[in-house]
């Protein structure tokens, strides 16, 4: 662990995936700290799989968590989490931060599929996800956020997602929800009373030659082609289960 201070816990987890030269993927760097434990699990084919296992509660107020994953040329990596991440109020003052930094080289492939993030009552969390994908890289990224546990008022959650492909920004969006967020977050133009919101980003070379057509996916989800070989699916739902179902169906539609 980077350390426990008067302002909260500092922890960073790092993953590097590298082609092993035998049609597989090795993990020369797999370093977890404190509340961010990493476990390699059984993969399939040339893909390596890693689970993020929460060893402590949190993030709590004042905590600073970070996850960094690098996928080198020819490597294939899938990252999930063993359980939902729950943002909780803490004794330390100030917001908690959770920063994710993903780099996928040309010819690399990353599937980033963590469980949902839940903003519990009284919490204040700022999440930043930055992704860089090489010109021939492939990406499947899912983010799911839930405002409050069952029967509970939401905490405050600010989430920013930035995706660059071949050095060009194709997506840069921020969403702020919960107490203290700018007005209108729960109105018809944003969450419309729903408590679960998610994004699915898929980057593939073939989208450049055969662009995906923008369309609605039911009443509460939309598929949008981005300015590059990438697609964004945005969805809201009444709960985490229904949100996952919508995003899974969208991923199947896009070829898994």
């Amino acid at each position: 662990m980077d350390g426990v201070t008067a302002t909260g816990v500092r922890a960073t987890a790092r993953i590097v995936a590298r082609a092993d030269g035998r049609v597989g993927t090795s993990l020369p760097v797999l370093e977890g700290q404190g509340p961010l434990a990493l476990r390699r699990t059984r993969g399939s084919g040339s893909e390596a799989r890693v689970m993020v296992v929460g060893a402590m509660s949190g993030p709590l107020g004042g905590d600073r968590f970070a996850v960094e994953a690098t996928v080198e040329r020819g490597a294939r990596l899938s990252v999930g989490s063993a359980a939902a991440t729950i943002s909780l109020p803490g004794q330390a003052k100030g917001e908690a931060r959770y920063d994710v930094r993903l780099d996928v080289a040309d010819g690399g492939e990353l599937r980033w599929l963590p469980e949902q993030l839940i903003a519990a009552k009284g919490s204040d969390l700022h999440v930043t996800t930055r992704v860089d994908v090489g010109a021939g890289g492939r990406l499947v990224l899912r983010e799911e956020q839930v405002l409050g546990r069952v029967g509970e008022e939401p905490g405050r959650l600010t989430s920013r997602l930035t995706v660059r492909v071949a050095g060009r920004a194709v997506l840069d969006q921020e969403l702020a929800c919960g107490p203290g967020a700018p007005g209108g977050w729960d109105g018809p133009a944003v969450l419309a009373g729903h408590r679960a919101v998610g994004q699915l980003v898929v980057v593939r070379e073939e989208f450049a030659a055969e662009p995906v057509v923008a369309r609605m996916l039911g009443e509460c989800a939309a598929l949008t082609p981005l300015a590059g070989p990438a697609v964004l699916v945005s969805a809201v739902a009444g709960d985490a289960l229904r949100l996952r179902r919508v995003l899974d169906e969208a991923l199947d539609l896009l070829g898994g």
Side-chain angles (χ1 to χ4, degrees), residues 150-171:
V150 176
E152 176 184 69
E153 291 298 313
R156 180 170 180 175
L157 174 65
T158 302
S159 175
R160 182 170 183 177
L161 172 60
T162 305
V163 180
R164 291 161 52 92
V165 179
R168 179 186 181 188
V170 299
L171 177 66

Side-chain angles (χ1 to χ4, degrees), residues 2-23:
D2 287 347
V4 180
T5 71
T7 56
V9 175
R10 304 289 190 273
T12 301
R14 297 181 177 87
I15 308 168
V16 174
R18 179 175 298 159
D20 64 7
R22 302 187 303 275
V23 198

Side-chain angles (χ1 to χ4, degrees), residues 80-241:
S81 57
T85 297
I86 304 178
S87 173
L88 298 165
Q91 294 182 344
K93 295 182 179 180
E95 68 178 13
R97 295 192 64 92
Y98 201 128
D99 296 318
V100 177
R101 184 73 172 89
L102 309 175
D103 287 282
V104 185
D106 181 9
E109 181 175 342
L110 172 63
R111 296 175 64 86
W112 183 263
L113 302 169
E115 295 301 308
Q116 65 266 23
L117 188 155
I118 301 172
K121 181 179 179 180
S123 65
D124 186 359
L125 177 64
H126 193 289
V127 181
T128 300
T129 303
R130 294 178 297 161
V131 189
D132 273 284
V133 183
R138 295 170 66 90
L139 171 74
V140 174
L141 178 146
R142 182 184 68 214
E143 285 193 342
E144 299 169 314
Q145 290 115 17
V146 180
L147 299 178
R149 291 168 289 196
V150 176
E152 176 184 69
E153 291 298 313
R156 180 170 180 175
L157 174 65
T158 302
S159 175
R160 182 170 183 177
L161 172 60
T162 305
V163 180
R164 291 161 52 92
V165 179
R168 179 186 181 188
V170 299
L171 177 66
D172 190 349
Q173 68 175 26
E174 183 170 292
L175 176 66
C177 306
W185 65 270
D186 203 21
V190 188
L191 296 189
H194 295 90
R195 283 295 177 266
V197 57
Q199 295 77 232
L200 177 71
V201 179
V202 181
V203 177
R204 293 187 187 134
E205 276 187 300
E206 51 264 38
F207 290 156
E210 299 180 9
V212 177
V213 178
R215 58 189 180 275
M216 294 296 296
L217 303 175
E219 295 183 1
C220 298
L223 185 154
T224 306
L226 301 175
V231 173
L232 169 69
V233 176
S234 302
V236 295
D239 56 46
L241 182 61

Side-chain angles (χ1 to χ4, degrees), residues 12-17 26-33 36-41 48-52 67-69 77-79:
T12 301
R14 297 181 177 87
I15 308 168
V16 174
S26 64
L27 299 174
V29 177
L30 189 65
E31 300 174 350
Q33 295 179 331
L36 299 174
L38 301 177
R39 300 288 184 268
R40 181 166 189 169
T41 61
R49 292 183 181 175
V50 173
M51 297 293 290
V52 181
V67 179
E68 301 171 0
L77 174 67
S78 177
V79 179

